[in-house]
Amino acid sequence: MEVTFPGLGLEFNINREAFSIGSLSVYWYGIIIASGLVLACIYAFVRADYFKIDKNKLLNTVIVGIICAIIGARLYYVLFSWDDYKNNLMNIFYINKGGLAIYGGLIGAILGGGITCKLQKQELLPVLDIASIGFLIGQGIGRWGNFFNQEAFGSQTDLPWRMVSENTGNVGVHPCFLYESIWCLLGVLVLHILSKKWYHFKGQIFLCYMVWYGFERMIVEGLRTDSLYMTFSIFGYTPRVSQVLSACIFVTGIVLLIIFRKKRNVKNDDNN
């Protein structure tokens, strides 16, 4: 498939399939997602000592988190696309045909990882702190899988960086995958520096992740044409599921950062 960015003079010929072994096809989407996951895990294990996290327990948490993330991503998508599955429930299991939602993956990973932490008596907040930077690594790299699939793009635009392909109807659209990739990878740098120089309380990095990612997704989701929608309308506008969730995450993150910071200041004053 030919993909062009006419305003930038860029042109690419892409193929969803990276290679095949007999009848088994291996797609770039899976390779890219796996690469992001591996790099996220490497980062977490390299910095585990800094966050005072037991690496053996972290490995258990990661394994369970990954499994729960896949399940959560699928269930989230199916839940908000139920009309497409209710008459053929077996299609729910065909994840090779697409249909994974990032927020479902995050929810699944946090729930699965949280339960694992509880069972092995591991402190949760430091794990969430280090995992949040891993999330951004995985998301920043993983979004390029959308580029190879030519999906998750936005509405029509004439901006210089517009993307054109057969899947976009041969019209220029917002390359939403690129917006999110850049924002997430920038977030890796920001939260990494924050964790090294201004890490004041456990859970701080995770809350900053909520604010950072929630803000971006709230905006970019409004540009996409493949969103899952809520079942109600507000003044004639039907909000997108991820847009509403992103707004809630963004606001919650800010509120909790303020509360935790005030508690820390009060505790410091009492100690003085």
Side-chain angles (χ1 to χ4, degrees):
M1 181 186 301
E2 184 178 88
V3 182
T4 64
F5 294 80
L8 302 177
L10 299 175
E11 183 176 316
F12 304 92
N13 284 308
I14 62 173
N15 189 336
R16 292 180 62 227
E17 184 179 316
F19 60 89
S20 61
I21 303 174
S23 60
L24 176 65
S25 295
V26 179
Y27 294 94
W28 280 112
Y29 186 89
I31 293 174
I32 292 171
I33 293 294
S35 299
L37 178 61
V38 169
L39 290 175
C41 290
I42 291 174
Y43 177 89
F45 282 100
V46 167
R47 299 208 63 208
D49 290 338
Y50 179 85
F51 285 90
K52 299 179 181 179
I53 296 173
D54 184 307
K55 291 182 181 179
N56 291 323
K57 291 182 177 180
L58 180 61
L59 178 59
N60 296 332
T61 304
V62 168
I63 292 173
V64 175
I66 291 173
I67 295 172
C68 291
I70 296 172
I71 295 173
R74 185 57 170 173
L75 289 179
Y76 185 101
Y77 184 87
V78 170
L79 176 63
F80 290 102
S81 304
W82 182 242
D83 287 342
D84 297 332
Y85 296 93
K86 63 182 180 181
N87 295 323
N88 193 342
L89 298 181
M90 286 304 299
N91 285 342
I92 294 175
F93 300 98
Y94 297 152
I95 62 174
N96 60 307
K97 295 183 179 180
L100 297 174
I102 184 63
Y103 270 135
L106 291 173
I107 293 170
I110 292 171
L111 286 177
I115 292 172
T116 305
C117 285
K118 180 70 173 179
L119 292 176
Q120 58 187 2
K121 298 180 180 179
Q122 180 182 27
E123 196 170 5
L124 176 60
L125 291 181
V127 173
L128 287 177
D129 283 330
I130 201 170
S132 61
I133 301 178
F135 290 156
L136 288 175
I137 293 172
Q139 290 168 270
I141 295 173
R143 277 303 177 190
W144 284 89
N146 297 135
F147 171 70
F148 279 90
N149 281 357
Q150 277 300 285
E151 61 187 6
F153 49 77
S155 55
Q156 188 171 346
T157 181
D158 293 323
L159 290 170
W161 51 83
R162 64 190 181 278
M163 181 178 68
V164 180
S165 74
E166 179 184 332
N167 281 19
T168 71
N170 293 313
V171 299
V173 299
H174 286 282
C176 292
F177 81 92
L178 182 60
Y179 299 162
E180 183 151 327
S181 178
I182 292 174
W183 186 259
C184 286
L185 293 178
L186 179 60
V188 173
L189 178 61
V190 171
L191 294 193
H192 175 77
I193 294 174
L194 182 66
S195 70
K196 295 191 72 173
K197 297 185 178 296
W198 296 284
Y199 186 46
H200 299 306
F201 56 87
K202 297 171 184 177
Q204 178 186 1
I205 307 303
F206 178 68
L207 293 177
C208 288
Y209 165 79
M210 291 174 62
V211 174
W212 184 269
Y213 183 66
F215 174 77
E216 174 271 327
R217 188 63 185 271
M218 181 173 56
I219 295 173
V220 173
E221 188 68 24
L223 299 174
R224 287 176 57 169
T225 58
D226 62 341
S227 301
L228 301 174
Y229 287 84
M230 303 296 291
T231 56
F232 59 86
S233 296
I234 303 175
F235 301 113
Y237 173 74
T238 303
R240 294 164 168 84
V241 174
S242 292
Q243 205 169 20
V244 173
L245 184 55
S246 296
C248 293
I249 289 173
F250 174 69
V251 173
T252 301
I254 290 177
V255 171
L256 290 178
L257 276 172
I258 293 173
I259 293 174
F260 276 51
R261 184 172 179 82
K262 284 185 176 180
K263 286 185 176 180
R264 172 181 171 271
N265 290 339
V266 169
K267 184 176 180 179
N268 288 341
D269 290 340
D270 290 342
N271 291 335
N272 292 333

